[in-house]
Amino acid sequence: MTTPIRPVPSAQVRRYLDSLAPQANYWGRDVPALRKQARDHVLAFRGRLEPVAHVESVDAGGVPARLYRPRGDEDDVLVWMHGGGWMLGDLDCCEGVARAIAHRAGCAVLTVDYRLAPEHPFPAAFDDTWAAVGWARRHFAQVAVGGDSAGGNLAAAAALRARDSRVDLALQLLVYPVLDSTMDTPGKRRFVTSYSTFAGTADYGRTAFERIAYLWDAYVPDRTMRRSPVVSPLHAETLRGVSPAVVITAEHDILRGESVEYAARLSEDLVPVEVHDYVGQIHGFIEYLGVMPDATDALEKAGSALRRAFAHREPDRAGLAISTPSDIHS
């Protein structure tokens, strides 16, 4: 009988995991403390912030947001939703990613401070996302959407809504997105057992499984809504006609299977899709620019894809007005 091969983290992941000090377990007990812990963690590893020409707070259709302009005269914008399981994260947590993408893509980046669960369950985060997309369309020539983890979920859902609303998007950038609310899948169950002692961490797989289940309960407490495509994009009847996609995955991520399946469905439905899988990586790595060279590489690929997408598509002029200095705060 052969011995099963255990998953192996990359050297950069191993260094990162070895550097972590024990943290208090606030899950399920103290949401404000959990948010602070998660924020402090990201800020400690996000690295040096890249300079941009202009940063300002904006009201994006009634939603607080932050706009980054690498030069100051960009006509195109990426609307970015941060990760954090719809419960954690804020605009500071995704600032490193936003600045890096702005530089590499040569476009503006709008980060969205959407409402968080459990205080604001579904559809609050999605409604805020769609409002921000509408604002972006009124102020920029071309719009793309993107996000990591729960933010990737919101971006994929927005791309589906855009397709159904005949709204043109240049690209959807999905970084290890949450795409399927179904917990009892072979892939997720297999992750629990295969990652029982990943990188020397006891119950790594089960902890990941239980936290995702907890976040789904907070974001969509009404279980009857969870198969809706704006909640679980993988359950959309068809993906035909949605915007082209870039999907970034991590080998050691409990969500990797649903990302791979979504990319395959996009291809089957004749949607151009580009997949970048990071061997040895873990969920969340793209925010750790200070310690993860893979994060820099992933953002280089994302920036290149955005440049190509904006260059090869006609601007969506229907109902648009390119922003001017006098109306950028509207």
Side-chain angles (χ1 to χ4, degrees), residues 4 10 27 41 56-57 70 87 95 119 127 135 145-146 155-156 185 199-200 211-212 226-227 238 258 294 318 327:
S10 68
W27 284 87
H41 184 84
E56 70 176 307
S57 297
M87 177 185 285
E95 183 162 17
E119 299 93 332
D127 288 346
W135 181 91
V145 293
T185 65
R211 288 181 178 177
I212 292 172
R226 292 190 190 175
R227 293 181 67 87
T238 178
E258 57 203 65
D294 282 344
D327 69 3

Tab-separated table of all heavy atoms in Angstrom, residues 4 10 27 41 56-57 70 87 95 119 127 135 145-146 155-156 185 199-200 211-212 226-227 238 258 294 318 327:
chain	number	residue	atom	x	y	z
A	4	PRO	N	0.190	8.038	1.146
A	4	PRO	CA	-0.305	9.239	0.452
A	4	PRO	C	0.700	10.384	0.539
A	4	PRO	O	1.368	10.562	1.545
A	4	PRO	CB	-1.600	9.580	1.208
A	4	PRO	CG	-1.508	8.868	2.507
A	4	PRO	CD	-0.665	7.655	2.280
A	10	SER	N	5.272	25.981	-0.431
A	10	SER	CA	6.474	26.539	-1.049
A	10	SER	C	7.384	27.105	0.033
A	10	SER	O	6.976	27.304	1.186
A	10	SER	CB	6.090	27.651	-2.031
A	10	SER	OG	5.560	28.765	-1.321
A	27	TRP	N	-12.772	33.642	16.568
A	27	TRP	CA	-13.817	33.192	15.661
A	27	TRP	C	-15.046	32.758	16.431
A	27	TRP	O	-14.975	31.939	17.346
A	27	TRP	CB	-13.299	32.054	14.790
A	27	TRP	CG	-12.391	32.542	13.710
A	27	TRP	CD1	-11.049	32.737	13.798
A	27	TRP	CD2	-12.779	32.924	12.393
A	27	TRP	NE1	-10.559	33.221	12.607
A	27	TRP	CE2	-11.601	33.344	11.731
A	27	TRP	CE3	-13.991	32.947	11.709
A	27	TRP	CZ2	-11.610	33.778	10.409
A	27	TRP	CZ3	-13.991	33.379	10.398
A	27	TRP	CH2	-12.826	33.787	9.758
A	41	HIS	N	-2.867	41.901	10.938
A	41	HIS	CA	-2.090	40.860	10.274
A	41	HIS	C	-1.754	41.264	8.836
A	41	HIS	O	-0.596	41.172	8.404
A	41	HIS	CB	-2.877	39.549	10.285
A	41	HIS	CG	-2.130	38.390	9.710
A	41	HIS	ND1	-1.243	37.649	10.442
A	41	HIS	CD2	-2.130	37.852	8.448
A	41	HIS	CE1	-0.729	36.696	9.685
A	41	HIS	NE2	-1.257	36.802	8.472
A	56	GLU	N	-7.872	59.542	-3.518
A	56	GLU	CA	-8.918	60.304	-2.845
A	56	GLU	C	-10.090	59.421	-2.466
A	56	GLU	O	-10.362	58.397	-3.103
A	56	GLU	CB	-9.405	61.474	-3.691
A	56	GLU	CG	-10.205	61.096	-4.917
A	56	GLU	CD	-10.722	62.336	-5.638
A	56	GLU	OE1	-11.371	63.184	-5.000
A	56	GLU	OE2	-10.453	62.440	-6.846
A	57	SER	N	-10.751	59.825	-1.407
A	57	SER	CA	-11.983	59.158	-0.991
A	57	SER	C	-13.120	59.684	-1.844
A	57	SER	O	-13.212	60.886	-2.105
A	57	SER	CB	-12.265	59.441	0.486
A	57	SER	OG	-11.234	58.910	1.301
A	70	PRO	N	-2.658	56.147	-10.979
A	70	PRO	CA	-1.198	56.089	-11.058
A	70	PRO	C	-0.568	57.305	-11.714
A	70	PRO	O	0.539	57.714	-11.344
A	70	PRO	CB	-0.936	54.818	-11.871
A	70	PRO	CG	-2.208	54.572	-12.620
A	70	PRO	CD	-3.306	55.070	-11.731
A	87	MET	N	-16.889	39.592	5.947
A	87	MET	CA	-16.978	39.983	7.351
A	87	MET	C	-15.775	40.807	7.806
A	87	MET	O	-15.903	41.667	8.676
A	87	MET	CB	-17.074	38.731	8.241
A	87	MET	CG	-17.105	39.015	9.737
A	87	MET	SD	-17.071	37.515	10.737
A	87	MET	CE	-18.755	36.951	10.496
A	95	GLU	N	-4.975	48.167	0.231
A	95	GLU	CA	-4.289	49.307	-0.402
A	95	GLU	C	-3.028	48.884	-1.141
A	95	GLU	O	-2.727	49.401	-2.219
A	95	GLU	CB	-3.951	50.376	0.633
A	95	GLU	CG	-3.304	51.598	0.007
A	95	GLU	CD	-3.355	52.828	0.889
A	95	GLU	OE1	-3.594	52.694	2.109
A	95	GLU	OE2	-3.150	53.937	0.355
A	119	GLU	N	-23.530	42.192	10.552
A	119	GLU	CA	-24.428	43.323	10.734
A	119	GLU	C	-25.252	43.576	9.469
A	119	GLU	O	-26.409	43.995	9.541
A	119	GLU	CB	-23.639	44.590	11.086
A	119	GLU	CG	-22.842	44.486	12.378
A	119	GLU	CD	-21.425	44.021	12.146
A	119	GLU	OE1	-21.173	43.296	11.155
A	119	GLU	OE2	-20.550	44.384	12.944
A	127	ASP	N	-25.139	44.621	-3.272
A	127	ASP	CA	-25.771	45.884	-3.668
A	127	ASP	C	-24.747	47.011	-3.715
A	127	ASP	O	-24.764	47.846	-4.632
A	127	ASP	CB	-26.898	46.238	-2.697
A	127	ASP	CG	-28.127	45.348	-2.856
A	127	ASP	OD1	-28.219	44.632	-3.871
A	127	ASP	OD2	-28.986	45.373	-1.949
A	135	TRP	N	-21.394	53.662	-10.602
A	135	TRP	CA	-20.659	54.930	-10.480
A	135	TRP	C	-19.454	54.935	-11.414
A	135	TRP	O	-19.180	55.929	-12.091
A	135	TRP	CB	-20.217	55.126	-9.034
A	135	TRP	CG	-19.485	56.402	-8.795
A	135	TRP	CD1	-20.016	57.603	-8.424
A	135	TRP	CD2	-18.068	56.628	-8.903
A	135	TRP	NE1	-19.029	58.564	-8.297
A	135	TRP	CE2	-17.820	57.978	-8.586
A	135	TRP	CE3	-16.987	55.812	-9.233
A	135	TRP	CZ2	-16.542	58.528	-8.596
A	135	TRP	CZ3	-15.707	56.362	-9.252
A	135	TRP	CH2	-15.501	57.708	-8.932
A	145	VAL	N	-13.944	44.540	-13.249
A	145	VAL	CA	-14.218	44.231	-11.849
A	145	VAL	C	-13.230	43.172	-11.377
A	145	VAL	O	-12.733	42.362	-12.172
A	145	VAL	CB	-15.657	43.738	-11.624
A	145	VAL	CG1	-16.665	44.838	-11.897
A	145	VAL	CG2	-15.956	42.503	-12.476
A	146	GLY	N	-12.950	43.189	-10.078
A	146	GLY	CA	-12.038	42.194	-9.543
A	146	GLY	C	-12.115	42.137	-8.039
A	146	GLY	O	-12.699	43.006	-7.384
A	155	ALA	N	-17.128	40.124	-7.343
A	155	ALA	CA	-16.769	40.497	-8.711
A	155	ALA	C	-17.414	39.551	-9.719
A	155	ALA	O	-17.953	39.990	-10.747
A	155	ALA	CB	-15.256	40.493	-8.872
A	156	ALA	N	-17.374	38.239	-9.450
A	156	ALA	CA	-17.995	37.276	-10.363
A	156	ALA	C	-19.501	37.482	-10.429
A	156	ALA	O	-20.112	37.405	-11.510
A	156	ALA	CB	-17.667	35.856	-9.913
A	185	THR	N	-18.930	18.964	-0.424
A	185	THR	CA	-18.420	18.546	-1.727
A	185	THR	C	-17.225	17.622	-1.518
A	185	THR	O	-16.526	17.713	-0.496
A	185	THR	CB	-17.975	19.751	-2.566
A	185	THR	OG1	-16.851	20.376	-1.930
A	185	THR	CG2	-19.103	20.767	-2.719
A	199	ALA	N	1.902	21.746	6.933
A	199	ALA	CA	2.991	22.591	7.421
A	199	ALA	C	3.117	22.544	8.944
A	199	ALA	O	3.472	23.540	9.587
A	199	ALA	CB	2.801	24.035	6.957
A	200	GLY	N	2.816	21.399	9.513
A	200	GLY	CA	2.943	21.248	10.955
A	200	GLY	C	1.831	21.877	11.758
A	200	GLY	O	1.914	21.941	12.993
A	211	ARG	N	-14.291	27.522	9.207
A	211	ARG	CA	-14.355	28.980	9.078
A	211	ARG	C	-15.155	29.396	7.857
A	211	ARG	O	-15.902	30.386	7.907
A	211	ARG	CB	-12.938	29.560	9.050
A	211	ARG	CG	-12.279	29.499	10.418
A	211	ARG	CD	-10.894	30.082	10.440
A	211	ARG	NE	-10.350	30.039	11.796
A	211	ARG	CZ	-9.120	30.419	12.136
A	211	ARG	NH1	-8.290	30.868	11.192
A	211	ARG	NH2	-8.718	30.352	13.381
A	212	ILE	N	-15.028	28.664	6.766
A	212	ILE	CA	-15.839	28.988	5.592
A	212	ILE	C	-17.316	28.786	5.896
A	212	ILE	O	-18.167	29.615	5.530
A	212	ILE	CB	-15.406	28.135	4.388
A	212	ILE	CG1	-14.008	28.539	3.936
A	212	ILE	CG2	-16.389	28.294	3.234
A	212	ILE	CD1	-13.432	27.636	2.882
A	226	ARG	N	-28.771	30.548	-1.012
A	226	ARG	CA	-27.356	30.303	-1.270
A	226	ARG	C	-27.031	29.739	-2.643
A	226	ARG	O	-25.884	29.803	-3.082
A	226	ARG	CB	-26.770	29.394	-0.180
A	226	ARG	CG	-26.722	30.081	1.163
A	226	ARG	CD	-25.935	29.292	2.173
A	226	ARG	NE	-26.098	29.846	3.512
A	226	ARG	CZ	-25.602	29.297	4.610
A	226	ARG	NH1	-24.903	28.174	4.529
A	226	ARG	NH2	-25.796	29.866	5.786
A	227	ARG	N	-28.026	29.197	-3.327
A	227	ARG	CA	-27.770	28.685	-4.680
A	227	ARG	C	-28.049	29.727	-5.756
A	227	ARG	O	-27.860	29.448	-6.956
A	227	ARG	CB	-28.595	27.419	-4.933
A	227	ARG	CG	-28.150	26.239	-4.078
A	227	ARG	CD	-28.969	24.989	-4.371
A	227	ARG	NE	-28.732	24.481	-5.707
A	227	ARG	CZ	-27.753	23.624	-6.025
A	227	ARG	NH1	-26.924	23.200	-5.085
A	227	ARG	NH2	-27.608	23.194	-7.261
A	238	THR	N	-25.865	29.306	-17.057
A	238	THR	CA	-24.869	29.405	-18.115
A	238	THR	C	-23.979	30.606	-17.830
A	238	THR	O	-24.418	31.591	-17.216
A	238	THR	CB	-25.514	29.563	-19.505
A	238	THR	OG1	-24.480	29.704	-20.499
A	238	THR	CG2	-26.430	30.778	-19.563
A	258	GLU	N	-13.292	24.853	-6.784
A	258	GLU	CA	-14.401	25.583	-7.399
A	258	GLU	C	-13.903	26.622	-8.393
A	258	GLU	O	-14.571	26.911	-9.392
A	258	GLU	CB	-15.322	26.198	-6.348
A	258	GLU	CG	-14.698	27.122	-5.359
A	258	GLU	CD	-15.531	27.230	-4.076
A	258	GLU	OE1	-15.664	26.211	-3.348
A	258	GLU	OE2	-16.043	28.330	-3.812
A	294	ASP	N	5.411	35.515	-4.897
A	294	ASP	CA	4.313	35.088	-5.773
A	294	ASP	C	3.229	36.149	-5.884
A	294	ASP	O	2.549	36.248	-6.908
A	294	ASP	CB	3.688	33.794	-5.246
A	294	ASP	CG	4.523	32.559	-5.573
A	294	ASP	OD1	5.405	32.659	-6.453
A	294	ASP	OD2	4.288	31.501	-4.944
A	318	ALA	N	-22.371	54.012	-23.454
A	318	ALA	CA	-23.797	54.186	-23.173
A	318	ALA	C	-24.005	54.752	-21.781
A	318	ALA	O	-23.737	54.106	-20.791
A	318	ALA	CB	-24.523	52.854	-23.318
A	327	ASP	N	-16.401	66.924	-11.054
A	327	ASP	CA	-17.449	65.972	-10.687
A	327	ASP	C	-16.909	64.656	-10.130
A	327	ASP	O	-17.670	63.743	-9.875
A	327	ASP	CB	-18.351	65.673	-11.881
A	327	ASP	CG	-17.667	64.884	-12.995
A	327	ASP	OD1	-16.498	64.515	-12.824
A	327	ASP	OD2	-18.330	64.669	-14.018
